[in-house]
Amino acid sequence: MTRAFLCLATLKRGPRRLADMPDPQIGANDVLVRIEATAINLLDSKVRDGEFKLFLPYRPPFILGHDLAGTVLRVGANVRQFKAGDKVYGRPRDHRAGTFAEMIAVNAADLALKPANLSMEQAASIPLVGLTAWQALVEVGKVKPGQKVFIQAGSGGVGTFAIQLAKHLGATVATTTSAENVELVKSLGADVVIDYKAQDFEQVLSRYDLVLNSQDAKTLAKSVIVLKPGGKLISISGPPDGPFAKSLKLNLFFRFVMRMLSQSILKKAKSRGIDYSFLFMRAEGQQLAQIAKLIDADAIRPVVDKVFPFAQTPDALAYVETGRAKGKVVVKVAD
């Protein structure tokens, strides 16, 4: 049996109960991992509250959790890249989340060997935010040396990683944060730091090549203003757009709904020659392997705010929901 935190209901309830569950069964392409550490993301709260139920229709009870670092226990018949005893990290693909647990079965393609110079707790802080930043800046944004990149909420989980990655790619980096976190984001490589409580970023920044938006609709609309014609606005907080709906193979009705949700920002962006796209990161072990190389080369370092014991997983989630965390909040699963 494996111990896991069950989400018993949606709408801001859970995870509420630590329960004994049957050990996960692995398929031919799967890896069974003993989870030694996991991390908390706002995505966990949003999934719990049903915000993504259109394309992530989890039915309670289910196990939350989207980051893991641990040890391979067993591999499926088709798996060649991992073996029992390997130290791995990863982000299980959608519909297979559940890292608030002692064990999980994960598709091998979603895993990579853990960065050698990181502890399990540090490694667990990386997958979701690392993949989000990589897919936004490298895959979609195609950031080049000399470009100007604005990353919102620089002291948060995605922000602390994205600042370092953008700097590694050769960009000039601007970010927003509170006054008490200015030195933190500067230490990560931020060139321009805006105190969001005292300044309006749209009055400070201009002619940027890319904005990574992670805030509300008002901030998204302002982000268009700071981009130059031909710039890219990538949002990880919505609204979802037509291409995203198409990638999920949703029916015509839901594609229409998503187009309507993004109509306002698409119109604003088009009027200024800006390319808008919604990014919902996907699991990708090969990208995690590339990220591990950067970490082992000391180009990127994890930023961990607090580490909670497994029994306090609900407290860790509540702490992240306060919005005060600097970097990532981690849960140590194995003693």
Side-chain angles (χ1 to χ4, degrees):
M1 301 291 284
T2 183
R3 299 280 279 173
F5 270 97
L6 290 179
C7 183
L8 302 177
T10 57
L11 301 179
K12 301 184 179 179
R13 293 181 58 199
R16 294 296 185 187
R17 191 180 75 192
L18 183 60
D20 288 319
M21 302 291 289
D23 288 347
Q25 300 299 306
I26 64 171
N29 299 313
D30 291 343
V31 174
L32 182 64
V33 180
R34 182 178 71 242
I35 299 174
E36 298 185 40
T38 183
I40 309 295
N41 298 282
L42 284 176
L43 175 61
D44 299 310
S45 299
K46 292 179 179 180
V47 170
R48 177 203 62 196
D49 297 346
E51 290 189 28
F52 297 125
K53 62 184 177 182
L54 182 63
F55 50 91
L56 289 178
Y58 291 108
R59 293 183 179 181
F62 59 91
I63 305 170
L64 288 168
H66 295 80
D67 282 313
L68 72 89
T71 303
V72 174
L73 296 176
R74 194 164 68 251
V75 302
N78 296 338
V79 177
R80 299 289 180 268
Q81 64 269 50
F82 301 109
K83 64 183 184 305
D86 282 346
K87 308 299 182 182
V88 296
Y89 78 141
R91 190 280 205 201
R93 61 189 55 188
D94 296 330
H95 305 288
R96 296 191 66 177
T99 63
F100 295 172
E102 293 176 329
M103 285 191 287
I104 190 172
V106 185
N107 190 293
D110 301 343
L111 296 173
L113 293 174
K114 178 184 76 66
N117 61 0
L118 296 188
S119 67
M120 285 292 184
E121 291 79 16
Q122 290 173 318
S125 75
I126 297 294
L128 188 141
V129 297
L131 288 170
T132 299
W134 186 277
Q135 289 166 20
L137 301 180
V138 177
E139 189 174 89
V140 179
K142 296 179 173 57
V143 172
K144 298 178 178 60
Q147 290 189 322
K148 297 198 297 182
V149 174
F150 172 39
I151 295 163
Q152 297 165 6
S155 62
V158 173
T160 52
F161 193 100
I163 288 171
Q164 296 179 84
L165 180 58
K167 202 65 186 171
H168 172 75
L169 295 171
T172 296
V173 182
T175 193
T176 49
T177 192
S178 57
E180 59 265 31
N181 294 323
V182 168
E183 292 308 313
L184 168 63
V185 297
K186 283 185 176 180
S187 74
L188 299 174
D191 301 288
V192 180
V193 182
I194 299 166
D195 179 356
Y196 72 90
K197 295 180 180 179
Q199 298 171 287
D200 295 322
F201 70 80
E202 74 274 17
Q203 296 179 6
V204 178
L205 308 178
S206 63
R207 297 193 62 78
Y208 269 64
D209 296 281
L210 184 146
V211 173
L212 179 54
N213 176 76
S214 58
Q215 305 300 296
D216 58 18
K218 184 178 179 181
T219 303
L220 180 64
K222 290 180 179 179
S223 297
V224 175
I225 300 172
V226 309
L227 285 160
K228 68 181 185 182
K232 296 180 179 180
L233 174 54
I234 302 171
S235 179
I236 60 175
S237 59
D241 55 8
F244 174 68
K246 186 176 181 180
S247 71
L248 294 177
K249 299 180 180 179
L250 297 179
N251 63 39
L252 291 177
F253 172 75
F254 286 125
R255 291 187 194 186
F256 173 77
V257 170
M258 288 195 180
R259 282 199 301 271
M260 290 300 99
L261 289 173
S262 59
Q263 187 176 46
S264 176
I265 188 61
L266 285 171
K267 184 177 180 180
K268 286 184 175 69
K270 185 177 181 180
S271 70
R272 298 178 66 93
I274 305 301
D275 177 45
Y276 170 78
S277 59
F278 170 68
L279 174 68
F280 192 84
M281 60 77 57
R282 69 183 189 282
E284 181 55 73
Q286 291 184 349
Q287 291 178 355
L288 285 175
Q290 293 176 281
I291 289 168
K293 290 179 181 178
L294 293 181
I295 293 171
D296 284 335
D298 295 324
I300 294 176
R301 62 180 173 88
V303 178
V304 176
D305 185 314
K306 290 185 178 183
V307 179
F308 286 77
F310 186 48
Q312 294 179 18
T313 299
D315 298 326
L317 185 58
Y319 177 64
V320 168
E321 290 172 337
T322 67
R324 297 196 298 268
K326 301 174 184 178
K328 291 299 293 292
V329 172
V330 172
V331 172
K332 185 176 182 179
V333 178
D335 294 327

